[in-house]
Amino acid sequence: MPSVQTSFAYKMKHPLTADRNIDVLLTADRTLMSNYHGNEFLGFGTCAPPNFIPNILYSYLFFPPLKTKNGVPVAAPYGLRKIEAQLLKGGFNVLTVSPQHLRKHIKNAKVVGIHTMDPFGFGPASTTLASAFKKEPFLAKYFHALVNSPVMREAKKRGLKVIVGGPGAWQFRYRPQLLKEGVIDCVVEGEAENVIGKIVKAAINGEMLPTFYEVAAKDAPCSEDIPDIVQPSINGLIEIGRGCCRGCEFCNVTLRPLRWYPLDKIMRELLVNVELGKNRVICLHAEDVMLYGSHTTVPDDEKLLRLHKSVKSKVPAVSWSHCSLAAAASKPKLFSELSEIILQNQSWWGAEVGIETGSAELAKRIMPAKAHPFKAEDWPEVVRDGMGLMHDNMMVPACTLIVGLPEEKEEDILRTMELMDDLEGFRSLIVPLFFVPLGRLKNEDWFKDAAMTELHKQLLFQCAEHSLRWTDNLIDLSFVDEGYKRILKEFYKAFAGIAKRQIRQAEITMLQ
Ligand code: SF4
């Protein structure tokens, strides 16, 4: 397995600026090849469709392109870095390039691998925003611009194979057109480490590829088989584990096994980001960072404290990808201790947090273990306690609520609206997502805007008002008054001001 030392060896062996014969190019569309000005929350902006801000300004504000050297980006999405590491380990000649510089490197490539999050805008945040604006979101627009670009079309004519993977791969089940037309040769869904080598080898040898390859849960790699990344990831994101033990019905993640990485593996990837990427911030990624090292729903104090002390000894700032309210609420003292470690030289940190519903009845049916170690019927109380704890400790959650869950009744929506009232004073973003059939609910119907009731609309406005109420505070926290960030800050505030006025106007129109 490559260590930090071997990552330097890779770099020496494969200097990024040299012209070498590349078999496999890896890339992603420009909404994914961005550091979002160092603030992952801004990445939500890629789910919106073109709007009242000119596209060129909007893309700079929400997903500016990464710096490149000879077409090679200084960082790349973490999932793409994993595939890059796996292919290097398998002996392939591979290079990750920026989508704007494909032409420079594609001449001799036999395969292009594309990482995607939401290729058709079917992700929950995109469908919600698309229903409001009635247009295709940026992330879908840029994905299609990439796969249909003249440079890709020309390369396809001479036999290039295109393989797509990433968290958005499932969407090709519903939109197989690009596969039928031969624009894309193969889509890989699931954790690809154990299969990507044989698929790429077949592509290089000109063999037939499966159009859709679903990696079975039994083929998911164990922790020891997952290679370390060898080049920096965007915003210093590093995985600390995979999988989740809570088993929510609507979630894909829960179908895969739970694995936590040992601390030395995490620190090796941290050093890749610090030494090669000069990152001063690390984002710890897991479905629930609070459960690091635990195989129950109770946090492990010792492992969590050790992890955070180790990380903070190497970088000044840290953030989390996801955190559960139940795990935080179950150990308030531990949560405060972690916040003390994290806040030594930063003023806040963020994470995505799932609220999903304020209805205890619906929670019991659809996510019975989400409240563990508390009872499912206590879910609204767990949310209030967890959110209060996060507010007091300067953790800013970007929360999700699911609208239109199967079997959702009017009373469930009313309970969620009551919960929203109680959360008013807690610093957070709350984003409503339309139900998308995934996980064990993959055969259910999608929730469409045509099915929206007046109560749904009121809930959506309540979420928008809550988030916009906290936006100025979050902008002040996120953007210090220095350099170009001072100007950016004013743009975001102006954008938020316009959005607030438009939402109020839409609300008044709805109530008339
Ligand atoms: S807690 Fe989150 S990651 Fe885990 S199963 Fe539920 S929705 Fe999925």
Side-chain angles (χ1 to χ4, degrees):
M1 197 172 298
S3 64
V4 179
Q5 281 72 29
T6 51
S7 77
F8 285 117
Y10 276 130
K11 204 181 170 209
M12 298 309 290
K13 197 171 153 201
H14 306 293
L16 300 178
T17 50
D19 276 336
R20 55 188 172 99
N21 214 13
I22 302 298
D23 290 328
V24 188
L25 287 182
L26 298 176
T27 194
D29 72 71
R30 66 156 289 184
T31 61
L32 294 171
M33 283 286 197
S34 171
N35 70 357
Y36 317 103
H37 296 288
N39 186 331
E40 291 283 348
F41 284 179
L42 288 179
F44 270 118
T46 62
C47 304
N51 49 65
F52 52 85
I53 301 187
N55 286 359
I56 192 160
L57 177 60
Y58 189 90
S59 60
Y60 175 72
L61 288 176
F62 289 92
F63 47 96
L66 288 165
K67 283 189 190 141
T68 58
K69 190 170 177 190
N70 196 28
V72 174
V74 293
Y78 184 83
L80 205 57
R81 287 299 194 211
K82 276 285 176 215
I83 293 301
E84 176 189 69
Q86 183 67 39
L87 292 174
L88 284 169
K89 189 176 151 193
F92 292 93
N93 207 348
V94 55
L95 184 69
T96 299
V97 294
S98 136
Q100 289 99 322
H101 296 87
L102 265 178
R103 188 172 290 284
K104 197 176 286 181
H105 297 280
I106 208 167
K107 202 165 90 215
N108 298 313
K110 298 184 180 79
V111 178
V112 168
I114 300 176
H115 173 79
T116 186
M117 290 283 284
D118 195 357
F120 297 95
F122 294 167
S126 318
T127 42
T128 313
L129 285 165
S131 82
F133 290 89
K134 313 275 181 235
K135 283 190 215 155
E136 186 183 42
F138 279 106
L139 32 70
K141 211 170 135 63
Y142 278 100
F143 175 79
H144 293 277
L146 171 62
V147 292
N148 289 310
S149 61
V151 57
M152 290 288 282
R153 294 224 168 237
E154 284 161 28
K156 282 291 298 169
K157 277 191 198 144
R158 64 154 175 83
L160 177 94
K161 299 285 184 199
V162 179
I163 301 172
V164 174
W170 62 273
Q171 298 184 7
F172 288 89
R173 290 176 186 281
Y174 300 93
R175 286 283 189 284
Q177 202 58 27
L178 290 172
L179 286 158
K180 284 187 186 150
E181 289 168 1
V183 176
I184 293 167
D185 298 280
C186 173
V187 171
V188 183
E189 184 186 3
E191 295 182 26
E193 281 90 348
N194 285 342
V195 302
I196 193 66
K198 69 177 179 192
I199 294 176
V200 167
K201 193 167 171 210
I204 289 174
N205 292 338
E207 295 165 20
M208 278 290 288
L209 298 181
T211 46
F212 198 93
Y213 191 109
E214 184 181 359
V215 184
K218 69 174 176 47
D219 292 329
C222 57
S223 168
E224 299 76 48
D225 289 344
I226 299 173
D228 295 356
I229 59 169
V230 298
Q231 292 289 341
S233 52
I234 289 175
N235 291 335
L237 186 140
I238 50 175
E239 258 179 350
I240 60 169
R242 286 188 191 174
C244 174
C245 60
R246 293 193 187 270
C248 303
E249 298 278 308
F250 49 80
C251 177
N252 261 351
V253 173
T254 206
L255 304 176
R256 297 184 213 130
L258 176 63
R259 290 140 291 169
W260 293 114
Y261 301 160
L263 187 56
D264 59 342
K265 180 178 176 66
I266 295 167
M267 294 307 284
R268 286 198 301 269
E269 292 205 339
L270 177 144
L271 288 182
V272 168
N273 275 294
V274 171
E275 292 178 8
L276 298 182
K278 308 285 172 239
N279 282 62
R280 294 174 53 74
V281 185
I282 286 294
C283 176
L284 301 176
H285 185 281
E287 301 309 328
D288 188 353
V289 172
M290 273 299 284
L291 290 185
Y292 172 65
S294 169
H295 285 267
T296 70
T297 50
V298 179
D300 182 319
D301 299 45
E302 196 201 317
K303 287 188 179 148
L304 267 174
L305 290 169
R306 200 161 147 243
L307 169 70
H308 284 82
K309 283 178 188 160
S310 306
V311 170
K312 284 293 276 192
S313 71
K314 301 287 179 199
V315 282
V318 65
S319 66
W320 293 357
S321 68
H322 302 81
C323 167
S324 75
L325 289 155
S330 73
K331 293 244 174 135
K333 186 165 167 285
L334 171 64
F335 194 82
S336 299
E337 280 172 24
L338 291 170
S339 115
E340 260 176 48
I341 298 171
I342 293 170
L343 298 180
Q344 277 164 14
N345 28 24
Q346 64 192 88
S347 55
W348 67 286
W349 88 105
E352 277 183 53
V353 165
I355 296 177
E356 326 307 8
T357 178
S359 158
E361 278 310 307
L362 197 53
K364 268 199 286 190
R365 284 203 301 277
I366 223 131
M367 46 183 213
K370 188 103 164 168
H372 267 203
F374 305 99
K375 291 188 190 132
E377 50 266 43
D378 295 333
W379 177 241
E381 208 43 50
V382 173
V383 175
R384 280 187 278 268
D385 287 353
M387 292 288 281
L389 189 64
M390 289 173 183
H391 179 85
D392 291 345
N393 287 283
M394 292 307 288
M395 194 264 226
V396 181
C399 307
T400 51
L401 274 184
I402 307 181
V403 176
L405 277 161
E407 301 179 43
E408 178 193 70
K409 301 191 182 72
E410 217 169 71
E411 297 88 80
D412 298 316
I413 309 172
L414 286 169
R415 296 294 85 78
T416 304
M417 291 172 77
E418 284 166 14
L419 179 66
M420 284 294 300
D421 286 338
D422 295 342
L423 302 182
E424 199 179 298
F426 299 142
R427 186 187 307 101
S428 53
L429 297 175
I430 302 184
V431 186
L433 312 173
F434 283 5
F435 169 72
V436 168
L438 291 171
R440 293 193 199 98
L441 299 181
K442 69 177 179 195
N443 296 323
E444 297 285 339
D445 287 336
W446 296 67
F447 182 77
K448 301 259 171 57
D449 52 350
M452 261 208 291
T453 63
E454 288 307 305
L455 270 186
H456 283 131
K457 288 181 190 164
Q458 282 178 33
L459 176 60
L460 260 52
F461 281 123
Q462 213 180 350
C463 290
E465 286 203 348
H466 173 95
S467 300
L468 287 167
R469 192 177 315 120
W470 281 106
T471 302
D472 281 356
N473 180 268
L474 296 179
I475 294 171
D476 285 336
L477 277 177
S478 307
F479 293 95
V480 282
D481 274 331
E482 60 184 39
Y484 83 104
K485 293 211 167 166
R486 185 195 312 228
I487 302 164
L488 272 186
K489 192 165 145 175
E490 296 313 315
F491 269 115
Y492 293 122
K493 285 196 172 171
F495 175 70
I498 298 171
K500 267 184 221 171
R501 283 197 292 282
Q502 293 212 340
I503 285 166
R504 295 228 167 96
Q505 191 53 50
E507 202 171 353
I508 291 165
T509 313
M510 188 191 87
L511 293 173
Q512 279 167 354

